[in-house]
Amino acid sequence: MRISKSLLALGLGAILASTTFAQAADDKIVIGFSQIGAESEWRTANTNDVKAAAERAGVELKFSDAQQKQENQIRAIRTFISQKVDVIGFVPIVETGWDNVLREAKRAKIPVVVMDRDLKVSDDSLYVAKIGTDQVEEGRKAFRWIDEYVTKNNVKPRNGGKTINIVVLEGTVGASAAVGRTKGFNEALAASSNKDHYKILASQTGDFTRQKGQEVMESFLKTYRNDIDVLFAQNDDMALGAIQAIEAAGLKPAKDIIIVGADAVKGMFQAMIEGKANATVECNPLQGDLFFETCKKILNGESVPKSVYVEEGVYDASTAAEVFPTRKY
Ligand code: GZL
């Protein structure tokens, strides 16, 4: 059967269009993303933001929750490699142990973009870009706020001794957020003109969770009760758990024991408004848009900065009620 040239051209055109359309559908960028888990309000906000930003960016997101296990993250990254995703993104639960799997991604020519926490690798070319927060600076900000508050309010040691005694609830062992905040806090303390006025009585991991924060604070109170003047909790969830322990011990949080957290999540704003916490250093989880913008630039062959920090501030009880309605997480 003869098919007229015009009908043939129309048919070919339709096939091309459908093929082109099909290619357009196939060309949707596919991003494999390994999240560490759901250990805190902050993490949940970070996950929600990544998913919403993926929608806004029009990319296909393959999302994996590692349930707080590095081996699950490594397994997820290997799966993304076998699925030949366009970009691999992940939050390194701890700083080390990533070289081998990132070498596999590099051999597969899949760019890697790191979000939130930092990592230590033998070869920086194993990841293309890192988007996160300056966790060392967050630690410095926490101590500087304490030093200013103690000085301005002429806070005296509760036990009548010579030093303002501090206990620290650290984050997950080996996580850059814990390592960085500890480093920054200690650096700022050592640099303070009042450094001899402070003493760190104890510092122990609460693994960034409310439950562990409460348990470790209970043990601090059993050991040091009236010797504790300040708590620095390396995230707000642990601070909120510690507040429960302090109240159960018959002490007044934010009054008997000054409480400074990190993250600036809504739960901590509520505690500050209720007069149960003093301050929190913001750590911004809303990194999704910048992450997907960076992924697209990399796929377009554009150069991107190796490391970018998102903006963040410090909030205390004096402005908590006024700021709370503006908080996005
Ligand atoms: C910090 C982030 C930390 C938060 C915690 O960038 O990795 O992990 O401070 C979270 O709340 O668990």
Side-chain angles (χ1 to χ4, degrees):
M1 179 185 75
R2 278 182 55 74
I3 297 176
S4 76
K5 278 191 181 143
S6 54
L7 195 57
L8 185 61
L10 187 66
L12 276 177
I15 291 166
L16 275 176
S18 66
T19 310
T20 311
F21 179 73
Q23 273 171 344
D26 288 351
D27 284 357
K28 194 168 186 175
I29 295 171
V30 180
I31 311 270
F33 190 88
S34 168
Q35 178 59 288
I36 62 177
E39 72 283 359
S40 65
E41 273 187 59
W42 190 97
R43 185 63 53 207
T44 303
N46 178 240
T47 290
N48 294 341
D49 180 66
V50 165
K51 291 178 175 174
E55 289 285 318
R56 290 191 290 268
V59 304
E60 180 187 333
L61 179 68
K62 290 182 181 299
F63 184 89
S64 158
D65 178 330
Q67 309 283 317
Q68 307 297 324
K69 289 187 170 58
Q70 181 176 30
E71 61 264 30
N72 290 345
Q73 289 198 282
I74 291 170
R75 193 175 300 118
I77 291 170
R78 288 197 167 117
T79 301
F80 297 148
I81 292 169
S82 66
Q83 292 169 332
K84 297 185 172 39
V85 298
D86 296 303
V87 179
I88 292 171
F90 78 114
V91 176
I93 185 167
V94 291
E95 291 182 310
T96 56
W98 304 104
D99 284 61
N100 291 339
V101 74
L102 295 186
R103 262 191 221 103
E104 293 167 32
K106 188 174 180 182
R107 275 199 296 276
K109 298 191 179 7
I110 299 176
V112 173
V113 179
V114 178
M115 179 191 280
D116 177 23
R117 292 186 185 172
D118 209 338
L119 74 175
K120 282 196 168 71
V121 284
S122 57
D123 168 6
D124 270 1
S125 74
L126 292 176
Y127 65 92
V128 178
K130 196 158 46 72
I131 290 157
T133 61
D134 186 345
Q135 292 147 6
V136 176
E137 182 58 16
E138 289 161 3
R140 294 190 195 102
K141 287 177 182 176
F143 177 78
R144 287 177 193 146
W145 187 91
I146 292 166
D147 200 12
E148 192 181 324
Y149 181 88
V150 164
T151 306
K152 203 160 60 177
N153 296 280
N154 193 22
V155 176
K156 296 284 178 235
R158 263 187 330 122
N159 65 7
K162 290 193 174 46
T163 54
I164 293 288
N165 295 326
I166 302 168
V167 290
V168 180
L169 289 170
E170 296 174 8
T172 303
V173 176
S176 67
V179 173
R181 287 171 188 165
T182 298
K183 180 171 185 290
F185 190 87
N186 294 344
E187 237 178 49
L189 194 164
S192 165
S193 55
N194 306 314
K195 67 175 186 293
D196 298 334
H197 194 44
Y198 296 100
K199 182 177 179 205
I200 295 182
L201 281 183
S203 188
Q204 188 178 329
T205 182
D207 208 15
F208 281 138
T209 68
R210 188 173 186 146
Q211 177 60 37
K212 280 288 281 176
Q214 181 175 354
E215 288 167 12
V216 176
M217 192 66 200
E218 282 164 359
S219 72
F220 284 163
L221 287 162
K222 278 202 186 74
T223 311
Y224 302 107
R225 188 186 164 86
N226 292 327
D227 292 337
I228 303 172
D229 300 298
V230 178
L231 162 67
F232 170 42
Q234 292 183 353
N235 85 330
D236 292 339
D237 291 64
M238 294 189 291
L240 295 172
I243 287 167
Q244 287 177 271
I246 292 166
E247 290 181 314
L251 293 170
K252 292 189 194 66
K255 296 170 186 63
D256 294 328
I257 296 177
I258 296 162
I259 296 175
V260 175
D263 285 350
V265 295
K266 283 182 177 167
M268 190 65 161
F269 272 85
Q270 279 155 347
M272 290 193 287
I273 291 165
E274 290 162 15
K276 296 185 178 178
N278 299 86
T280 178
V281 177
E282 185 179 32
C283 174
N284 184 349
L286 310 180
Q287 306 171 20
D289 288 333
L290 181 55
F291 171 79
F292 290 111
E293 184 190 312
T294 301
C295 292
K296 286 182 174 177
K297 283 184 176 174
I298 291 166
L299 294 174
N300 289 339
E302 296 171 44
S303 68
V304 294
K306 190 70 179 175
S307 176
V308 176
Y309 289 142
V310 292
E311 287 299 310
E312 47 203 23
V314 181
Y315 297 92
D316 67 28
S318 65
T319 59
E322 168 201 342
V323 170
F324 183 63
T326 69
R327 297 300 296 168
K328 295 197 181 82
Y329 66 93

